[in-house]
Amino acid sequence: MARRQLTPQDWSIAALRAMARGGVAAVSVNALAGELGATRGSFYWHFKHRDALLTAALEMWEQQHTAALIAELGDITDPLRRLAALFTTALGEEDIAGLEPAIVAHADHPAVAPVLRRVTERRIAYLTDLYTDLGMASALARRQAVTTYAAYLGWVELRRSAVGVVPEVAATGAVATAALEHLIASLARSATPDADPE
């Protein structure tokens, strides 16, 4: 039986999985080829070098976990429902466990830095718009967006590093569901115009 020809997406997903396991250094052409049951030639058919793969993988992450999610949420007109859907999705089950903290941990890497900057800017701008839609003044909406994004990053880092100690941050389970509902309610409460006057 003929082996399926690998696509750039196959290599990119494998690179993201490796990054989640061991950071940027774990993205090795030889290791990924072995994992995919492929040759180095298959890799070089799609990519000039390892950094091209890193860039493609990170851009895939950017598209799927920021641009596509924002587009999907665009159909929800009620901003409170949009906030709840955003956090339910963003803090739900992960496609690749631990990926986001691994990316953030390499923020100064030349391949990671520009993508992470774009993602951070876009996510904070989206959250700012969302809080503005909830009735906050623009300066307060920006501060709330930064606070909310920091809570998100802390949540995913705790999930990666301390889920045994903090089961509330797990992706599934009754305790995690209750904690996520509490987080969303807290973020929504802070978004009411009289909750935190300027």
Side-chain angles (χ1 to χ4, degrees):
M1 185 162 113
R3 193 165 50 186
R4 180 178 75 85
Q5 186 171 359
L6 294 174
T7 67
Q9 291 77 20
D10 293 324
W11 285 97
S12 293
I13 291 167
L16 292 174
R17 290 184 194 283
M19 197 179 303
R21 287 191 306 266
V24 172
V27 180
S28 153
V29 175
N30 287 335
L32 294 178
E35 181 181 316
L36 292 168
T39 64
R40 287 174 57 89
S42 169
F43 170 81
Y44 288 110
W45 179 260
H46 299 294
F47 301 100
K48 281 188 163 191
H49 42 68
R50 176 181 171 271
D51 282 351
L53 170 61
L54 276 173
T55 299
L58 290 162
E59 287 175 351
M60 172 187 277
W61 166 74
E62 175 183 19
Q63 171 57 35
Q64 292 178 350
H65 294 271
T66 301
L69 178 55
I70 289 171
E72 183 182 316
L73 294 171
D75 293 337
I76 303 173
T77 55
D78 176 18
L80 279 175
R81 285 187 52 233
R82 204 175 328 132
L83 179 69
L86 171 62
F87 268 77
T88 300
T89 302
L91 293 174
E93 288 193 60
E94 299 168 277
D95 295 337
I96 302 173
L99 177 59
E100 188 125 353
I103 291 171
V104 172
H106 292 85
D108 60 347
H109 187 280
V112 174
V115 178
L116 185 58
R117 181 183 176 94
R118 285 194 310 267
V119 165
T120 302
E121 287 173 346
R122 183 145 188 212
R123 289 175 175 180
I124 289 177
Y126 180 77
L127 285 166
T128 301
D129 290 344
L130 198 155
Y131 282 114
T132 302
D133 290 347
L134 284 164
M136 284 187 166
S138 60
L140 181 58
R142 167 73 183 198
R143 288 196 297 271
Q144 184 60 40
V146 171
T147 301
T148 298
Y149 194 58
Y152 163 74
L153 290 177
W155 196 280
V156 295
E157 175 57 30
L158 279 172
R159 179 180 290 169
R160 183 195 66 77
S161 63
V163 74
V165 178
V166 189
E168 291 86 350
V169 299
T172 59
V175 170
T177 299
L180 181 56
E181 288 171 359
H182 175 77
L183 174 65
I184 292 167
S186 298
L187 295 172
R189 230 183 353 265
S190 67
T192 56
D194 59 352
D196 186 13
E198 283 191 275

